[in-house]
Amino acid sequence: MLQHLFTLDDDGTTSLQRQLQRKLIDAILNGYFAAESRMPSSRKLAELLGVSRNTVVAAYEQLIDEGYLLSRERSGIFVSSHVFDEHAESCQNDQLTENQFDWSSVCNPTSIEASSPPYPDNWEDYRYPFIEGQYDQSLFPLNQWRECSRISLNVDEIKSWARDSGYEDDPSLIHEIRTKVLPRRGIQARPEEILVTLGSQQALYLVSRLLMNTSTLLTMEEPGYQGMRQLAQHNLCPVRFAGIEKDGIALADISPQTQLLYVTPSHQVPTAVTMSRDKREALVAQANQDNFIVIEDDYESEANFISNPNPALKSLDSQGRVIYISSFSKALAPGLRLGFMVASPDLIRRARKLRALMLRHPPANNQRIMALFLSLGYYDMTMRRLYQAINERWQELREALNHYLGPYIVTSETMGGSTCWVKGPPGLNSHKFAAAAAEKGILIEPVDRFYGGKEKPDSYFRLGVRSLPKEKIRPGIEELAKLIDDIKADGDPSFGQHLTGEALKRFMADVTFTGHTVFGDPYRITLFADGQMEGVEGHHDEKYDTGTWWLKDNIWYRQWQQWSYGELLGFDIFVTDSRIHWVRNGKLVDAANYTKP
Amino acid sequence: MLQHLFTLDDDGTTSLQRQLQRKLIDAILNGYFAAESRMPSSRKLAELLGVSRNTVVAAYEQLIDEGYLLSRERSGIFVSSHVFDEHAESCQNDQLTENQFDWSSVCNPTSIEASSPPYPDNWEDYRYPFIEGQYDQSLFPLNQWRECSRISLNVDEIKSWARDSGYEDDPSLIHEIRTKVLPRRGIQARPEEILVTLGSQQALYLVSRLLMNTSTLLTMEEPGYQGMRQLAQHNLCPVRFAGIEKDGIALADISPQTQLLYVTPSHQVPTAVTMSRDKREALVAQANQDNFIVIEDDYESEANFISNPNPALKSLDSQGRVIYISSFSKALAPGLRLGFMVASPDLIRRARKLRALMLRHPPANNQRIMALFLSLGYYDMTMRRLYQAINERWQELREALNHYLGPYIVTSETMGGSTCWVKGPPGLNSHKFAAAAAEKGILIEPVDRFYGGKEKPDSYFRLGVRSLPKEKIRPGIEELAKLIDDIKADGDPSFGQHLTGEALKRFMADVTFTGHTVFGDPYRITLFADGQMEGVEGHHDEKYDTGTWWLKDNIWYRQWQQWSYGELLGFDIFVTDSRIHWVRNGKLVDAANYTKP
């Protein structure tokens, strides 16, 4: 192998020895000879390269003089370990700037925004990574994946996947997708309506290359998936934005000129809002009427814990104008890059052709493993386990947010998912806040990358629990709350009159508080003179709890059976005409309306 | 799952029963309920769908009337097996044509030629698939790949590949490529100069998207890799063609206006010509002088059996203007889709960004398996074994061609590889010939797809041995020769005077034949009066053999020790003033010049 590294040229202009020195230095700096490693003997190198031994000896001596090599008596010549401290950087830079081809002048302009996620590469080293789009080792179906992987390496299996399959996908994976995955979303599809892709991203890329140009109008959600905005930019496709309402995209914002609509109905990216059944039907009707194409990105299809999943838009589409895109990244691991799209055979045929030009087909061994995984029923099992775990974490996150960040934040009503979309207190700069949190080991996501319009609200951020074990959620949010307290400290509002002594006792002996949780669920708490209290929560009073309260040193203490983790907490009480404020250490913890009988 | 398939809408316009019938028919025709399978009981289905049992019973009865279902007393309701014969086609077509969105009007024109290979999907079912670009099961390093695959599923390994790695590649694979693969080609590269791709094809796609536009001039070889021509078309990039000489691309054909040059120096696609060392240096010098970029496609880097591999163009490139592209498809299996490119850090950075937009990154599990495979030394082992096998086959192919198709074909001098580029007899239509061969179970590749210019020569074809065991090569070529005989039969040339009796004996008793093999190697055969003969072959008389000859019934018989498989063969002899023609059954088998002492 060495002789190929050191192709020497007897061209008369540079001596062989000089050439050899330069190649040796390159090789050392590039790490082919590691620090402290022994160099080949001069005899051996001379033989390999077909030069005289003297040439090699002279080159070695020069490099010893220059400090690249060290000679150790009776043991040979070694690479100096100091080389790397001093030379590596500068030499590589020299190499780069001298007489090099200038690529910037010839490359097509690709106006792509940076798309790196807003958290560091080593997110796993943080104590509380509240991020989305990554993966939890503990939820990976290790044994099942191993088993399928092993089966895929049987001689007969290899035979069927190792060949270049040209345009085609693994027929067994297509079969499993159409019979095991799509029916869960209410979708019936024929094999020629399905294309396997490298994650959702490749499906979106294919669709954008096939359908976008400078005169296509794309409408997408705002805030929305930045990857779609980048694809529109890449294809010089004009974009309009439609707002998000409680039940999904604002239909009125979709102009009749729209030709392409991109939506994320299951859990809107990034707000996690689930599109209602009614809105789904209205959207498909609007698409039929205004003749636009719908790209349905169902990246997280079934992470819907509260009610039955709504059917996919694709299942309501009788005209073949919905392109359904999904992936196995969330169920298994994003690193596998396996996804698929479902659309009319005509579009799939075109996408398949373009895919062949891009890269032929997704790796066939992974297609086969996934097909086996589905056929053995492991996908259903994995989904169940995954959603149970994520659901528990998500509920835990909501409870912790409500408890620790009650008065400061607003978050949307969502139907499950793995994230919460949070509006911080006015004046919060989410980038500064995220940086401060990161210093404490807490990762949260600032969300301005999701905004393509002129306004990028400062105070929103997103919290995800996909990569965080349940037991870390409460302490993580507790620490985050302390941080928000510190930030809030400036500009204290007035809490009204501070109640003490008899006034406090009289007020608390018989009072009802009404308010809303941070998720908008109404609650009602009634205190009785005997120190008992009871509370109901939810639009239909679904939740109920009882607790006790008492006074000591002008502090009002309370403890629920279940709510607020059953924690014993004491507060200073401030009231105005209609509002009560719970205050600890001079800081507002919660507020509600009150009524006296 | 059923309830999602049958989302029923009480919208007042279509009765529930009618809706249910339609959905059931769809489900049956799409195969969700297999022929002869039992339907869910009406009670169960009604419960699942939340409709009255009467609705289901009525729908079932209607479908029984229509022949979709059958009622079997006391055992339930079953899917009729006749449905599929009669209805499937027409119903699906109905569904397709009625009120469907018209994609042809909205899709961007993608003027991509069909790129499917010129052999059938079931090529493995043919007796003699002389095709290139596929794979031989028996050469796959089964146990080693299994081992690496197993290691990659250790908990720690999974942890490092399962996550979304964003822009990045597996650092361990990059390390192995730069220290184990590239040095074989004389290339030193830093990690930031390497990008992992889904086969060579993705690298070419990335490069084409970054560098081609309507005003870039691409020069490529003619004949040449059709995939590159397709990418130029896709990017509306003008193309010029340069011819192929004995030592590679014709440098004089590369116009100074060229901005991008695409070459396949190791084994030119499709002629298999290897670019000489001198021409490599001249090409890089020309690129530096005329300031063009070189795309070096080293798809089959090391399949060079005859001499040491020439260094890659990239290793001669001091200005960073060569983009080196290669893949592991040939060494392992094309289905894995793993390749890489090496270029200046600036270009790699841009390609990485575009790759992220296309699909994020190549599947990380495969990257890790490949890294393990390289680190354990299995790649070297596989390459050795592979090239030994392919070399044996290739030599076998050359011998068989020379023996059976001597007078009809011309093929180029090549330095190994796995294919032979064959010029058939004048008037041969390679498409018709390939079709006729396929009927006999022999697959050969017509080559007009490799031509982008106006002239697409009819009579060339290509033979490959990558997917064919050695022992099948000779019989395959023998059968092919019979076929060419049949085709040649019309328009027999004159062979000169038919020698018989004493004239034959006198002529043969002392004569020397000189000629060339089908590969252009010279040979010289001398006959002696005692019935002995000897032959030498090669530019330096490298090959030597002896044999015997005799006459019987005016037929000249000969038998070599080694050559021509040591076969005993008899010929009619025809001569002109200077040429001898060996003829069997009225058909020319070989011809040479002769000299009498």
Side-chain angles (χ1 to χ4, degrees):
Chain A
M1 191 177 298
L2 271 174
Q3 66 269 42
H4 301 310
L5 265 184
F6 299 112
T7 314
L8 303 180
D9 243 343
D10 203 354
D11 62 356
T13 56
T14 317
S15 79
L16 281 178
Q17 183 201 322
R18 191 74 57 80
Q19 286 182 47
L20 179 57
Q21 277 167 229
R22 217 163 47 201
K23 298 263 181 179
L24 282 169
I25 292 173
D26 281 353
I28 292 167
L29 294 178
N30 283 320
Y32 290 105
F33 299 112
E36 305 285 356
S37 71
R38 185 155 134 180
M39 296 296 290
S41 74
S42 54
R43 183 194 310 274
K44 188 178 162 199
L45 190 57
E47 206 174 278
L48 272 170
L49 303 181
V51 299
S52 82
R53 196 175 155 200
N54 284 344
T55 304
V56 177
V57 170
Y60 274 5
E61 277 173 2
Q62 186 63 35
L63 294 193
I64 291 168
D65 281 355
E66 293 180 15
Y68 289 100
L69 300 178
L70 291 171
S71 173
R72 291 195 187 130
E73 227 169 310
R74 278 195 303 276
S75 48
I77 290 174
F78 292 79
V79 178
S80 159
S81 58
H82 300 306
V83 171
F84 298 90
D85 324 332
E86 304 163 21
H87 294 266
E89 268 305 309
S90 61
C91 287
Q92 294 204 349
N93 286 344
D94 281 1
Q95 218 178 325
L96 273 183
T97 49
E98 179 204 320
N99 202 20
Q100 290 293 294
F101 186 77
D102 175 19
W103 291 92
S104 62
S105 62
V106 296
C107 283
N108 291 328
T110 48
S111 50
I112 312 170
E113 292 173 41
S115 66
S116 52
Y119 46 80
D121 246 17
N122 66 338
W123 59 267
E124 284 164 297
D125 299 338
Y126 285 74
R127 284 188 303 156
Y128 304 113
F130 285 100
I131 58 172
E132 172 59 10
Q134 281 294 352
Y135 141 95
D136 182 346
Q137 169 85 7
S138 69
L139 298 176
F140 188 80
L142 191 59
N143 292 326
Q144 293 75 18
W145 189 260
R146 277 186 187 148
E147 179 188 348
C148 297
S149 182
R150 201 176 58 237
I151 300 174
S152 80
L153 293 172
N154 288 348
V155 171
D156 283 350
E157 296 287 343
I158 289 189
K159 194 166 172 175
S160 74
W161 63 251
R163 36 180 285 172
D164 181 349
S165 68
Y167 284 88
E168 300 308 319
D169 288 316
D170 188 333
S172 60
L173 179 56
I174 296 290
H175 175 78
E176 295 299 329
I177 290 173
R178 48 185 297 267
T179 56
K180 293 220 174 62
V181 180
L182 294 177
R184 289 166 161 275
R185 308 297 294 123
I187 300 172
Q188 296 198 14
R190 301 191 300 282
E192 64 270 26
E193 292 174 311
I194 305 172
L195 186 73
V196 179
T197 58
L198 280 126
S200 302
Q201 187 65 30
Q202 193 193 14
L204 294 176
Y205 182 87
L206 288 168
V207 166
S208 77
R209 293 290 301 155
L210 289 171
L211 296 174
M212 289 181 184
N213 57 53
T214 52
S215 61
T216 325
L217 179 63
L218 168 73
T219 298
M220 61 178 284
E221 299 149 327
E222 172 90 337
Y225 178 50
Q226 77 286 2
M228 197 61 193
R229 230 172 38 236
Q230 288 164 0
L231 285 168
Q233 283 179 344
H234 183 62
N235 292 288
L236 309 174
C237 170
V239 182
R240 284 198 201 165
F241 298 106
I244 303 300
E245 299 169 342
K246 267 172 65 168
D247 59 350
I249 191 168
L251 297 182
D253 290 355
I254 306 171
S255 107
Q257 278 78 51
T258 292
Q259 283 154 289
L260 266 178
L261 176 74
Y262 172 78
V263 281
T264 49
S266 284
H267 292 107
Q268 202 270 334
V269 176
T271 64
V273 167
T274 300
M275 193 183 292
S276 69
R277 173 68 193 262
D278 286 349
K279 187 159 265 186
R280 284 170 200 244
E281 285 173 359
L283 175 56
V284 171
Q286 190 168 334
N288 288 342
Q289 188 191 306
D290 293 344
N291 195 30
F292 57 79
I293 295 162
V294 179
I295 304 168
E296 175 180 27
D297 188 347
D298 200 24
Y299 67 101
E300 196 190 35
S301 61
E302 291 169 83
N304 183 326
F305 314 125
I306 289 181
S307 66
N308 268 334
N310 288 305
L313 291 174
K314 180 73 192 158
S315 75
L316 307 169
D317 164 37
S318 59
Q319 300 189 352
R321 62 172 68 248
V322 176
I323 302 168
Y324 177 86
I325 288 172
S326 191
S327 97
F328 298 115
S329 294
K330 305 280 173 188
L332 286 155
L336 289 173
R337 315 299 313 132
L338 261 180
F340 56 92
M341 62 187 274
V342 182
S344 285
D346 186 16
L347 188 72
I348 292 292
R349 206 157 40 235
R350 291 164 198 264
R352 193 184 294 280
K353 216 164 155 182
L354 181 56
R355 189 189 69 176
L357 199 62
M358 282 169 72
L359 49 77
R360 297 281 173 266
H361 56 78
N365 62 333
N366 283 347
Q367 290 196 48
R368 181 55 55 98
I369 301 174
M370 192 68 219
L372 289 163
F373 192 83
L374 282 158
S375 73
L376 294 173
Y378 294 150
Y379 181 69
D380 292 348
M381 184 212 76
T382 303
M383 294 294 265
R384 264 198 311 276
R385 206 177 60 158
L386 180 71
Y387 290 137
Q388 190 182 343
I390 301 281
N391 186 21
E392 278 176 8
R393 296 179 189 181
W394 183 75
Q395 298 286 5
E396 182 79 5
L397 174 66
R398 286 167 60 95
E399 276 168 35
L401 284 177
N402 196 39
H403 183 68
Y404 292 107
L405 286 166
Y408 298 126
I409 66 166
V410 176
T411 182
S412 53
E413 287 180 69
T414 54
M415 312 264 276
S418 59
T419 61
C420 278
W421 175 252
V422 179
K423 181 172 193 278
L428 180 106
N429 176 309
S430 66
H431 274 278
K432 283 186 197 161
F433 182 51
E439 272 182 32
K440 305 258 180 205
I442 309 166
L443 292 178
I444 66 171
E445 291 186 31
V447 295
D448 52 0
R449 67 185 169 130
F450 296 114
Y451 288 85
K454 280 176 195 158
E455 272 181 59
K456 289 179 199 271
D458 243 5
S459 63
Y460 284 86
F461 56 92
R462 187 167 74 155
L463 298 168
V465 290
R466 197 176 282 280
S467 311
L468 200 63
K470 186 180 169 198
E471 60 275 15
K472 286 184 133 190
I473 292 171
R474 185 180 157 191
I477 295 298
E478 191 174 3
E479 290 207 28
L480 198 68
K482 282 183 201 144
L483 205 64
I484 229 171
D485 270 354
D486 296 346
I487 287 176
K488 270 292 292 175
D490 43 325
D492 247 357
S494 163
F495 302 138
Q497 183 197 351
H498 188 188
L499 294 184
T500 53
E502 271 306 307
L504 178 60
K505 192 170 172 185
R506 257 198 324 274
F507 180 85
M508 284 298 185
D510 197 6
V511 64
T512 298
F513 310 125
T514 56
H516 289 85
T517 69
V518 292
F519 309 101
D521 293 337
Y523 68 80
R524 194 172 66 251
I525 294 166
T526 304
L527 269 54
F528 303 102
D530 61 0
Q532 297 298 306
M533 61 183 188
E534 64 176 34
V536 289
E537 187 193 314
H539 292 282
H540 307 289
D541 294 350
E542 300 93 316
K543 294 181 182 173
Y544 175 79
D545 199 14
T546 58
T548 55
W549 66 270
W550 62 96
L551 299 172
K552 196 181 162 198
D553 301 336
N554 290 324
I555 300 287
W556 179 76
Y557 290 89
R558 63 112 180 96
Q559 187 168 28
W560 292 102
Q561 298 279 339
Q562 311 285 342
W563 291 3
S564 297
Y565 305 109
E567 249 182 21
L568 164 60
L569 279 177
F571 302 89
D572 293 309
I573 301 297
F574 292 75
V575 291
T576 63
D577 278 357
S578 60
R579 302 276 288 168
I580 172 169
H581 298 94
W582 287 272
V583 175
R584 272 167 70 85
N585 307 322
K587 281 170 199 147
L588 185 68
V589 177
D590 206 353
N593 294 322
Y594 68 84
T595 50
K596 300 284 291 177
Chain B
M1 192 177 297
L2 271 174
Q3 66 270 43
H4 301 308
L5 267 183
F6 300 111
T7 314
L8 303 180
D9 242 345
D10 203 355
D11 62 355
T13 55
T14 317
S15 79
L16 282 178
Q17 183 202 321
R18 191 74 56 81
Q19 287 181 48
L20 179 58
Q21 277 168 228
R22 217 163 46 201
K23 297 263 181 179
L24 282 169
I25 292 173
D26 282 352
I28 292 166
L29 294 178
N30 283 320
Y32 290 105
F33 299 113
E36 305 284 356
S37 71
R38 184 153 137 181
M39 296 295 292
S41 74
S42 55
R43 182 193 310 274
K44 189 177 163 201
L45 190 58
E47 207 173 276
L48 272 171
L49 303 181
V51 298
S52 81
R53 195 173 156 201
N54 285 343
T55 305
V56 178
V57 169
Y60 274 5
E61 277 172 1
Q62 186 63 34
L63 294 193
I64 291 169
D65 281 354
E66 294 180 14
Y68 290 98
L69 299 179
L70 291 170
S71 174
R72 292 195 186 130
E73 225 169 313
R74 276 196 303 276
S75 50
I77 291 174
F78 292 79
V79 178
S80 158
S81 58
H82 301 304
V83 169
F84 297 91
D85 325 331
E86 303 163 20
H87 294 266
E89 269 306 308
S90 61
C91 288
Q92 294 204 349
N93 287 343
D94 281 0
Q95 218 178 325
L96 274 183
T97 49
E98 178 204 319
N99 203 19
Q100 290 293 294
F101 187 77
D102 175 19
W103 291 93
S104 62
S105 63
V106 296
C107 282
N108 291 328
T110 48
S111 51
I112 312 170
E113 293 173 40
S115 67
S116 52
Y119 47 79
D121 246 17
N122 66 338
W123 59 267
E124 285 164 298
D125 300 338
Y126 285 74
R127 282 188 304 155
Y128 304 114
F130 286 99
I131 58 170
E132 173 57 10
Q134 280 294 351
Y135 139 96
D136 182 347
Q137 168 86 6
S138 70
L139 297 176
F140 187 80
L142 190 60
N143 292 326
Q144 293 77 15
W145 188 261
R146 277 187 187 147
E147 180 188 347
C148 297
S149 181
R150 201 177 59 236
I151 300 174
S152 80
L153 294 172
N154 288 347
V155 170
D156 284 349
E157 296 286 343
I158 290 187
K159 194 165 173 177
S160 74
W161 63 250
R163 37 181 284 175
D164 182 349
S165 67
Y167 283 87
E168 299 309 319
D169 288 316
D170 188 335
S172 60
L173 179 56
I174 297 290
H175 175 78
E176 296 298 329
I177 290 174
R178 47 185 297 267
T179 56
K180 294 222 173 62
V181 180
L182 294 177
R184 291 166 161 273
R185 309 297 294 123
I187 300 172
Q188 296 198 17
R190 301 192 299 282
E192 64 270 26
E193 293 174 310
I194 304 172
L195 186 73
V196 179
T197 57
L198 281 127
S200 304
Q201 187 66 30
Q202 193 193 13
L204 294 175
Y205 182 88
L206 289 167
V207 167
S208 77
R209 292 292 300 156
L210 289 171
L211 296 174
M212 288 180 185
N213 57 53
T214 52
S215 61
T216 324
L217 179 63
L218 168 72
T219 298
M220 62 178 283
E221 300 149 325
E222 171 88 338
Y225 177 51
Q226 77 286 1
M228 196 62 192
R229 232 172 36 237
Q230 288 164 1
L231 286 168
Q233 284 180 344
H234 184 62
N235 292 288
L236 309 174
C237 169
V239 182
R240 284 199 200 164
F241 298 106
I244 303 299
E245 300 167 342
K246 266 172 65 167
D247 59 350
I249 190 167
L251 297 182
D253 290 356
I254 306 171
S255 109
Q257 278 78 53
T258 292
Q259 283 154 290
L260 266 178
L261 176 74
Y262 172 79
V263 280
T264 49
S266 284
H267 292 107
Q268 202 270 335
V269 175
T271 65
V273 167
T274 300
M275 193 182 292
S276 69
R277 172 70 192 262
D278 287 349
K279 187 159 263 188
R280 283 170 201 243
E281 285 174 358
L283 176 56
V284 171
Q286 189 168 335
N288 288 341
Q289 188 192 305
D290 293 345
N291 195 30
F292 58 79
I293 294 162
V294 179
I295 305 168
E296 176 179 26
D297 188 347
D298 199 25
Y299 67 101
E300 194 190 34
S301 60
E302 292 169 83
N304 183 327
F305 314 124
I306 288 181
S307 66
N308 268 333
N310 287 304
L313 292 174
K314 180 73 192 159
S315 74
L316 307 170
D317 164 37
S318 59
Q319 301 189 352
R321 62 172 68 248
V322 176
I323 303 168
Y324 176 86
I325 288 172
S326 191
S327 97
F328 297 115
S329 294
K330 304 280 173 188
L332 287 156
L336 289 173
R337 315 299 313 133
L338 261 180
F340 56 92
M341 62 188 275
V342 182
S344 285
D346 186 16
L347 188 72
I348 293 293
R349 206 157 40 236
R350 292 164 198 265
R352 193 183 294 282
K353 215 164 156 182
L354 182 56
R355 189 188 68 176
L357 199 62
M358 280 169 73
L359 48 77
R360 297 282 174 264
H361 56 78
N365 63 332
N366 283 347
Q367 290 196 50
R368 180 54 55 97
I369 301 174
M370 192 69 219
L372 290 163
F373 192 82
L374 281 159
S375 73
L376 294 173
Y378 295 149
Y379 181 69
D380 292 350
M381 184 211 75
T382 303
M383 293 296 263
R384 265 198 310 278
R385 207 176 59 159
L386 180 70
Y387 289 138
Q388 191 182 343
I390 301 282
N391 185 22
E392 280 176 9
R393 295 179 189 181
W394 183 75
Q395 298 286 4
E396 182 79 5
L397 174 64
R398 285 166 61 94
E399 277 168 34
L401 284 178
N402 195 40
H403 183 68
Y404 292 107
L405 287 166
Y408 299 125
I409 66 165
V410 177
T411 180
S412 53
E413 288 180 70
T414 53
M415 314 262 277
S418 58
T419 61
C420 278
W421 175 253
V422 179
K423 180 171 194 276
L428 179 109
N429 177 309
S430 66
H431 274 279
K432 283 186 196 160
F433 183 50
E439 272 182 32
K440 304 258 179 203
I442 309 166
L443 293 178
I444 66 171
E445 291 186 31
V447 295
D448 52 358
R449 67 185 169 131
F450 296 114
Y451 288 85
K454 280 175 195 158
E455 272 181 57
K456 290 179 197 267
D458 242 6
S459 63
Y460 284 86
F461 56 91
R462 188 167 72 156
L463 299 169
V465 289
R466 197 176 282 280
S467 311
L468 199 63
K470 187 180 169 199
E471 61 275 14
K472 286 185 131 189
I473 292 171
R474 184 179 157 190
I477 295 298
E478 191 175 3
E479 290 207 28
L480 199 67
K482 282 184 201 144
L483 205 64
I484 229 173
D485 272 353
D486 295 346
I487 287 176
K488 270 292 292 174
D490 43 326
D492 248 355
S494 163
F495 302 137
Q497 184 197 351
H498 188 190
L499 293 184
T500 54
E502 270 308 304
L504 176 61
K505 193 171 173 186
R506 258 198 321 276
F507 181 84
M508 284 298 185
D510 196 6
V511 66
T512 299
F513 310 124
T514 57
H516 288 84
T517 68
V518 291
F519 308 103
D521 295 336
Y523 67 81
R524 196 171 65 250
I525 294 166
T526 304
L527 268 55
F528 304 101
D530 62 359
Q532 297 299 306
M533 62 182 187
E534 63 177 34
V536 289
E537 187 192 315
H539 292 280
H540 308 288
D541 293 351
E542 300 93 318
K543 294 182 183 173
Y544 175 80
D545 200 13
T546 58
T548 54
W549 67 270
W550 62 94
L551 299 172
K552 196 182 162 197
D553 300 336
N554 290 323
I555 301 287
W556 179 76
Y557 290 90
R558 64 111 179 94
Q559 187 167 28
W560 292 101
Q561 297 280 337
Q562 310 286 340
W563 292 3
S564 296
Y565 306 108
E567 248 182 21
L568 164 61
L569 280 178
F571 302 89
D572 292 307
I573 301 298
F574 291 75
V575 292
T576 64
D577 279 356
S578 59
R579 302 276 288 169
I580 172 170
H581 298 94
W582 288 273
V583 174
R584 273 167 69 84
N585 306 323
K587 279 170 199 147
L588 184 69
V589 177
D590 205 351
N593 294 323
Y594 69 85
T595 51
K596 300 284 289 179

